[in-house]
Amino acid sequence: MRAAFNKHVDAFLIAVQFFTTIPVRFKTYPATATQSIAPLYYPLVGVMIGMLLFAAASYLHTHTLLTSAIVVTLWAVITGGLHLDGVADSADGWMAGIGQREKTLAVMKDPLVGASGVLTLVLVLLLKFAAVVHLLEAGALFVLLLAPLVARTATLLLLATTPYVSPTGIASHTANQLPTRVATAVCGLILVMLISISPSVAILIGLSFWWLRRAMLRRLGGMTGDTAGALIEIIEVLFLVYFSVI
C-alpha cells in the first residue's frame, strides 16, 4: 500500500516538474512504470496553475489591463514558456513543411524560430490577454481556474488516443505505456464537469480537439512533444475566447 502511494506521489511530482517551473528534485529519478502514469496527473497540475492565476487575478487591485498583463505573464512564467515553444515550432513546421511530413518534422526540430512561429506566438498571447481583460471585466474569474485544467486534460486525451511519432522522443515511453482506460475515464469525468458548466463551450472544445488531432494525424501520422505543447496553448486560448463570446 505504501509503495503504491509513493508511486503515485512521485508520478504527480513528475507532472509538476514537467509542466511547471516549481522546483522538484528526486534523489533517484522514478522508474519508467511511475513515469508512465504521470500524465494521469496532468489535469491536477492544471488545477494548480489555475488556482495561482485565479489568486493573482483576485488579489491584484490594479487597472484591468495591467492585471491582465500580469496574469498572462505569470501564466508564461509558471510553465516556463514550454508550451509557447511548442506553438512556435509547430507553426514554423506547418508553414515551412508545405504538407510534407519529413520536412515538417525537420523544421520543428530546428532550434531557431521563424516568422510563422513569432507571428503565431504574438497572436496567441494577444488573444489570451484580450480574453483575460474581458473575463476580468465580466467577473468571470472561474474561467482562469478551468482553462489550464481543460487544456491539460486535452493533452492527456491526446496521449491516450494518438500515436507518438518519434520512438526516441522525450515522451515516447510515457505515451506507449500510459494506462489508456484510466486516462480516458479521467478525461470523461472532466468532460462531464465541463458539460454541466457550459454545454456549448464543451462542444466547441471537443470539436477543436478533434480538428487539431486530425491535423496532426494527416500531416505527421501522430503527435510530437511540440504539437502536444501547441495543443495546450491553443485549447487554453480557445477556451478563454469561447467563454468570452458565448
Side-chain angles (χ1 to χ4, degrees), residues 143-159:
V143 180
L144 293 176
L145 275 170
L146 296 176
L149 162 65
V150 171
R152 281 150 190 82
T153 302
T155 303
L156 173 59
L157 185 59
L158 185 70
L159 283 169

PDB file of all heavy atoms in Angstrom, residues 143-159:
ATOM      1  N   VAL A 143     -13.144  31.083 -14.998  1.00  0.00           N
ATOM      2  CA  VAL A 143     -12.634  30.567 -16.272  1.00  0.00           C
ATOM      3  C   VAL A 143     -11.120  30.385 -16.206  1.00  0.00           C
ATOM      4  O   VAL A 143     -10.566  29.474 -16.823  1.00  0.00           O
ATOM      5  CB  VAL A 143     -13.030  31.499 -17.433  1.00  0.00           C
ATOM      6  CG1 VAL A 143     -12.502  30.958 -18.762  1.00  0.00           C
ATOM      7  CG2 VAL A 143     -14.546  31.645 -17.500  1.00  0.00           C
ATOM      8  N   LEU A 144     -10.449  31.241 -15.438  1.00  0.00           N
ATOM      9  CA  LEU A 144      -8.999  31.104 -15.272  1.00  0.00           C
ATOM     10  C   LEU A 144      -8.650  29.823 -14.518  1.00  0.00           C
ATOM     11  O   LEU A 144      -7.573  29.259 -14.703  1.00  0.00           O
ATOM     12  CB  LEU A 144      -8.433  32.316 -14.521  1.00  0.00           C
ATOM     13  CG  LEU A 144      -8.497  33.657 -15.249  1.00  0.00           C
ATOM     14  CD1 LEU A 144      -7.992  34.778 -14.339  1.00  0.00           C
ATOM     15  CD2 LEU A 144      -7.698  33.620 -16.537  1.00  0.00           C
ATOM     16  N   LEU A 145      -9.558  29.384 -13.654  1.00  0.00           N
ATOM     17  CA  LEU A 145      -9.358  28.118 -12.954  1.00  0.00           C
ATOM     18  C   LEU A 145      -9.473  26.928 -13.906  1.00  0.00           C
ATOM     19  O   LEU A 145      -8.732  25.945 -13.800  1.00  0.00           O
ATOM     20  CB  LEU A 145     -10.403  27.960 -11.847  1.00  0.00           C
ATOM     21  CG  LEU A 145     -10.133  28.598 -10.485  1.00  0.00           C
ATOM     22  CD1 LEU A 145     -11.390  28.516  -9.635  1.00  0.00           C
ATOM     23  CD2 LEU A 145      -8.980  27.914  -9.778  1.00  0.00           C
ATOM     24  N   LEU A 146     -10.403  27.052 -14.847  1.00  0.00           N
ATOM     25  CA  LEU A 146     -10.734  25.918 -15.698  1.00  0.00           C
ATOM     26  C   LEU A 146      -9.831  25.767 -16.915  1.00  0.00           C
ATOM     27  O   LEU A 146      -9.576  24.648 -17.365  1.00  0.00           O
ATOM     28  CB  LEU A 146     -12.187  26.033 -16.169  1.00  0.00           C
ATOM     29  CG  LEU A 146     -13.270  25.954 -15.092  1.00  0.00           C
ATOM     30  CD1 LEU A 146     -14.646  26.174 -15.711  1.00  0.00           C
ATOM     31  CD2 LEU A 146     -13.219  24.601 -14.398  1.00  0.00           C
ATOM     32  N   ALA A 147      -9.361  26.874 -17.473  1.00  0.00           N
ATOM     33  CA  ALA A 147      -8.611  26.819 -18.740  1.00  0.00           C
ATOM     34  C   ALA A 147      -7.391  25.901 -18.679  1.00  0.00           C
ATOM     35  O   ALA A 147      -7.217  25.037 -19.555  1.00  0.00           O
ATOM     36  CB  ALA A 147      -8.212  28.226 -19.180  1.00  0.00           C
ATOM     37  N   PRO A 148      -6.508  26.037 -17.671  1.00  0.00           N
ATOM     38  CA  PRO A 148      -5.350  25.127 -17.613  1.00  0.00           C
ATOM     39  C   PRO A 148      -5.757  23.670 -17.401  1.00  0.00           C
ATOM     40  O   PRO A 148      -5.113  22.763 -17.917  1.00  0.00           O
ATOM     41  CB  PRO A 148      -4.540  25.659 -16.419  1.00  0.00           C
ATOM     42  CG  PRO A 148      -4.983  27.075 -16.246  1.00  0.00           C
ATOM     43  CD  PRO A 148      -6.432  27.064 -16.603  1.00  0.00           C
ATOM     44  N   LEU A 149      -6.821  23.455 -16.634  1.00  0.00           N
ATOM     45  CA  LEU A 149      -7.319  22.094 -16.403  1.00  0.00           C
ATOM     46  C   LEU A 149      -7.791  21.462 -17.707  1.00  0.00           C
ATOM     47  O   LEU A 149      -7.409  20.337 -18.048  1.00  0.00           O
ATOM     48  CB  LEU A 149      -8.465  22.132 -15.392  1.00  0.00           C
ATOM     49  CG  LEU A 149      -9.384  20.897 -15.330  1.00  0.00           C
ATOM     50  CD1 LEU A 149      -8.608  19.676 -14.861  1.00  0.00           C
ATOM     51  CD2 LEU A 149     -10.582  21.171 -14.439  1.00  0.00           C
ATOM     52  N   VAL A 150      -8.624  22.168 -18.449  1.00  0.00           N
ATOM     53  CA  VAL A 150      -9.180  21.636 -19.691  1.00  0.00           C
ATOM     54  C   VAL A 150      -8.080  21.377 -20.716  1.00  0.00           C
ATOM     55  O   VAL A 150      -8.075  20.347 -21.401  1.00  0.00           O
ATOM     56  CB  VAL A 150     -10.242  22.602 -20.257  1.00  0.00           C
ATOM     57  CG1 VAL A 150     -10.673  22.179 -21.657  1.00  0.00           C
ATOM     58  CG2 VAL A 150     -11.447  22.670 -19.325  1.00  0.00           C
ATOM     59  N   ALA A 151      -7.121  22.294 -20.814  1.00  0.00           N
ATOM     60  CA  ALA A 151      -6.048  22.149 -21.793  1.00  0.00           C
ATOM     61  C   ALA A 151      -5.176  20.934 -21.502  1.00  0.00           C
ATOM     62  O   ALA A 151      -4.784  20.195 -22.407  1.00  0.00           O
ATOM     63  CB  ALA A 151      -5.194  23.418 -21.822  1.00  0.00           C
ATOM     64  N   ARG A 152      -4.876  20.694 -20.235  1.00  0.00           N
ATOM     65  CA  ARG A 152      -4.022  19.549 -19.885  1.00  0.00           C
ATOM     66  C   ARG A 152      -4.811  18.235 -19.924  1.00  0.00           C
ATOM     67  O   ARG A 152      -4.226  17.179 -20.144  1.00  0.00           O
ATOM     68  CB  ARG A 152      -3.366  19.793 -18.524  1.00  0.00           C
ATOM     69  CG  ARG A 152      -2.185  20.741 -18.683  1.00  0.00           C
ATOM     70  CD  ARG A 152      -1.902  21.608 -17.479  1.00  0.00           C
ATOM     71  NE  ARG A 152      -0.907  22.615 -17.845  1.00  0.00           N
ATOM     72  CZ  ARG A 152      -1.200  23.745 -18.482  1.00  0.00           C
ATOM     73  NH1 ARG A 152      -2.449  24.017 -18.817  1.00  0.00           N
ATOM     74  NH2 ARG A 152      -0.243  24.605 -18.787  1.00  0.00           N
ATOM     75  N   THR A 153      -6.118  18.329 -19.747  1.00  0.00           N
ATOM     76  CA  THR A 153      -6.958  17.145 -19.970  1.00  0.00           C
ATOM     77  C   THR A 153      -6.947  16.778 -21.448  1.00  0.00           C
ATOM     78  O   THR A 153      -6.895  15.589 -21.802  1.00  0.00           O
ATOM     79  CB  THR A 153      -8.392  17.418 -19.499  1.00  0.00           C
ATOM     80  OG1 THR A 153      -8.384  17.768 -18.110  1.00  0.00           O
ATOM     81  CG2 THR A 153      -9.274  16.196 -19.702  1.00  0.00           C
ATOM     82  N   ALA A 154      -6.969  17.785 -22.309  1.00  0.00           N
ATOM     83  CA  ALA A 154      -6.899  17.537 -23.749  1.00  0.00           C
ATOM     84  C   ALA A 154      -5.586  16.855 -24.121  1.00  0.00           C
ATOM     85  O   ALA A 154      -5.551  15.959 -24.980  1.00  0.00           O
ATOM     86  CB  ALA A 154      -7.055  18.845 -24.518  1.00  0.00           C
ATOM     87  N   THR A 155      -4.495  17.257 -23.455  1.00  0.00           N
ATOM     88  CA  THR A 155      -3.203  16.632 -23.719  1.00  0.00           C
ATOM     89  C   THR A 155      -3.195  15.185 -23.256  1.00  0.00           C
ATOM     90  O   THR A 155      -2.628  14.312 -23.924  1.00  0.00           O
ATOM     91  CB  THR A 155      -2.079  17.408 -23.009  1.00  0.00           C
ATOM     92  OG1 THR A 155      -2.115  18.770 -23.440  1.00  0.00           O
ATOM     93  CG2 THR A 155      -0.719  16.831 -23.352  1.00  0.00           C
ATOM     94  N   LEU A 156      -3.801  14.922 -22.109  1.00  0.00           N
ATOM     95  CA  LEU A 156      -3.919  13.545 -21.625  1.00  0.00           C
ATOM     96  C   LEU A 156      -4.695  12.695 -22.628  1.00  0.00           C
ATOM     97  O   LEU A 156      -4.295  11.565 -22.946  1.00  0.00           O
ATOM     98  CB  LEU A 156      -4.619  13.527 -20.262  1.00  0.00           C
ATOM     99  CG  LEU A 156      -4.966  12.145 -19.676  1.00  0.00           C
ATOM    100  CD1 LEU A 156      -3.711  11.296 -19.502  1.00  0.00           C
ATOM    101  CD2 LEU A 156      -5.695  12.306 -18.344  1.00  0.00           C
ATOM    102  N   LEU A 157      -5.788  13.243 -23.150  1.00  0.00           N
ATOM    103  CA  LEU A 157      -6.582  12.508 -24.137  1.00  0.00           C
ATOM    104  C   LEU A 157      -5.786  12.301 -25.421  1.00  0.00           C
ATOM    105  O   LEU A 157      -5.879  11.237 -26.050  1.00  0.00           O
ATOM    106  CB  LEU A 157      -7.869  13.280 -24.436  1.00  0.00           C
ATOM    107  CG  LEU A 157      -8.866  12.585 -25.367  1.00  0.00           C
ATOM    108  CD1 LEU A 157      -9.309  11.244 -24.798  1.00  0.00           C
ATOM    109  CD2 LEU A 157     -10.068  13.488 -25.618  1.00  0.00           C
ATOM    110  N   LEU A 158      -4.999  13.286 -25.806  1.00  0.00           N
ATOM    111  CA  LEU A 158      -4.158  13.158 -26.997  1.00  0.00           C
ATOM    112  C   LEU A 158      -3.164  12.014 -26.827  1.00  0.00           C
ATOM    113  O   LEU A 158      -2.985  11.186 -27.721  1.00  0.00           O
ATOM    114  CB  LEU A 158      -3.419  14.468 -27.252  1.00  0.00           C
ATOM    115  CG  LEU A 158      -2.583  14.539 -28.539  1.00  0.00           C
ATOM    116  CD1 LEU A 158      -3.492  14.580 -29.763  1.00  0.00           C
ATOM    117  CD2 LEU A 158      -1.660  15.759 -28.515  1.00  0.00           C
ATOM    118  N   LEU A 159      -2.519  11.960 -25.659  1.00  0.00           N
ATOM    119  CA  LEU A 159      -1.564  10.879 -25.382  1.00  0.00           C
ATOM    120  C   LEU A 159      -2.234   9.512 -25.397  1.00  0.00           C
ATOM    121  O   LEU A 159      -1.649   8.520 -25.832  1.00  0.00           O
ATOM    122  CB  LEU A 159      -0.898  11.112 -24.025  1.00  0.00           C
ATOM    123  CG  LEU A 159       0.202  12.162 -23.947  1.00  0.00           C
ATOM    124  CD1 LEU A 159       0.552  12.455 -22.486  1.00  0.00           C
ATOM    125  CD2 LEU A 159       1.441  11.708 -24.699  1.00  0.00           C
TER     126      LEU A 159
END
